[in-house]
Amino acid sequence: MPNILLVGNGAREHALAEAIVRSARQPRLFSFMKANNPGIAALSEKIRQGGYADLAAITGFAREQQIDFAVIGPEDPLNHGVVDALAQIGIPSVGPNQSLARLETSKAFTRRLLSKYDIPGNPQYRVFSTLAGVKEFLDTLEAVVLKPDGLTGGKGVLVQGDHFASKDEALALCAQILKDSASVIVEEKFDGEEFSLQCLCDGKTVVGTPLVQDHKRRFDGDQGPNTGGMGSYSLPDHSLPFLRPADIEEGLDITRRVAAALLAETGSPYKGVMYGGFIATKNGARLLEYNARFGDPEAMNILPLLKTDFVDVCRHIIDGTLDRLQIEFASQATVCKYVVPKGYGLPADHPDASAAKARIEVGEVGDARLYYSSVDKRDDGLYLSASRAVGIVGIADTLAAARRIAEAGVRAVQGPVAYRADIGTDALIQKRIDHMKSIRPE
Ligand code: GLY
């Protein structure tokens, strides 16, 4: 009966909590959360609320509850060094230490790591800490992507054609980024389709999980501003229909080589999730970025499909014995739709922006699974915050059936909310297939 500490308060952590408590090892779950997630609270023996920079509060709670190991959900506590702090009091974690978490927290670190260890997948790129040379480099690239070096909550990346049009604007944006960030990464923009490859890693062994496609844009048809992710789908064969087997092999190969490079570079084994955001291009898979944790929403696609006991998975990650565990996922399709406040991701002067903080009713979601994200549970009910509210997941033998289940579940959430109706539809997936065919014909 292990005592497990979960750190995090989103829908991803609600899915993690569910995976932990359904273990046959009969774990007792203790959760440290920045905000009270009612779904996680209902599954936990005890919760403690506090900020993720308050390492003393997290370690104090862990000590009090005699925690055997911790599972760290979001990047924020990883960035603050929660894994190092827990290790100092003898508690191991599923999650990288602060130095290894640079895989996500410093895009410049990761680009340079791939270059130094001759790992394929990088775009043409340069890291700048001043504007010197930026214009000249911009002029060598056809189209560019600009990334502040640091955590941006998935919303800091600026893409030519989406967020700005010209190289002059790119230069001005670099100047703006350098006011807040120590450096800016200027990269070649890739044309292709994105996929999420979430891998489990014990420092030596890297195990891929079913591929997922996330949808970052706020509105149907991939329109509107980028968000933390509006929803995602996965298919029964654990692949995506616009990919070639070589794309997946390349993504896995890059991740294996990055895990080895991280060990060589830091001397510490990476224990946790290496979530590669890849893009399939005409020349194969390329790396957009790594995250040092499960994806949100992507965790909600894969964790419910996990047939292997999740507590065993965690123990093998911590012990460095993943090579001895058979990790299996059900051959089913999943569709996750995020229900968000109408104003989510919109500029403050947009008429819908005021919909945040309103009260919502959550009825029966039928066959769907419901994962709470940013909701505020008060005495008189549930209230929206400014962020994504509830993840609704349909799971079935076919994508169409999974989508129908998710759609029906979404309708159970009443209030000033919105969601993307097109996620998991044949039309949207066909658009991805046609796009890939246009850039790399058979
Ligand atoms: N799905 C995007 C993220 O988790 O960062």
Side-chain angles (χ1 to χ4, degrees), residues 12 214 216 228 275 291 293-298:
R12 166 187 45 214
D214 185 16
K216 293 227 164 57
Y275 154 9
N291 294 315
R293 35 102 192 152
F294 280 114
D296 188 349
E298 293 96 323

Side-chain angles (χ1 to χ4, degrees), residues 49-130:
Q49 266 185 253
Y52 298 142
D54 191 349
L55 301 182
I58 299 174
T59 52
F61 183 53
R63 221 195 289 260
E64 260 170 44
Q65 304 308 328
Q66 302 183 318
I67 293 298
D68 292 289
F69 67 83
V71 177
I72 316 299
E75 62 276 24
D76 206 17
L78 296 173
N79 189 33
H80 288 298
V82 70
V83 171
D84 312 65
L86 287 165
Q88 272 168 20
I89 58 165
I91 298 175
S93 296
V94 175
N97 66 30
Q98 195 175 34
S99 171
L100 289 163
R102 284 180 293 164
L103 185 68
E104 170 166 4
T105 61
S106 171
K107 309 293 178 222
F109 168 80
T110 300
R111 288 289 180 225
R112 287 177 174 137
L113 189 81
L114 267 75
S115 299
K116 179 173 173 186
Y117 289 85
D118 219 6
I119 300 170
N122 261 347
Q124 295 179 64
Y125 78 96
R126 275 187 61 187
V127 182
F128 295 95
S129 53
T130 71

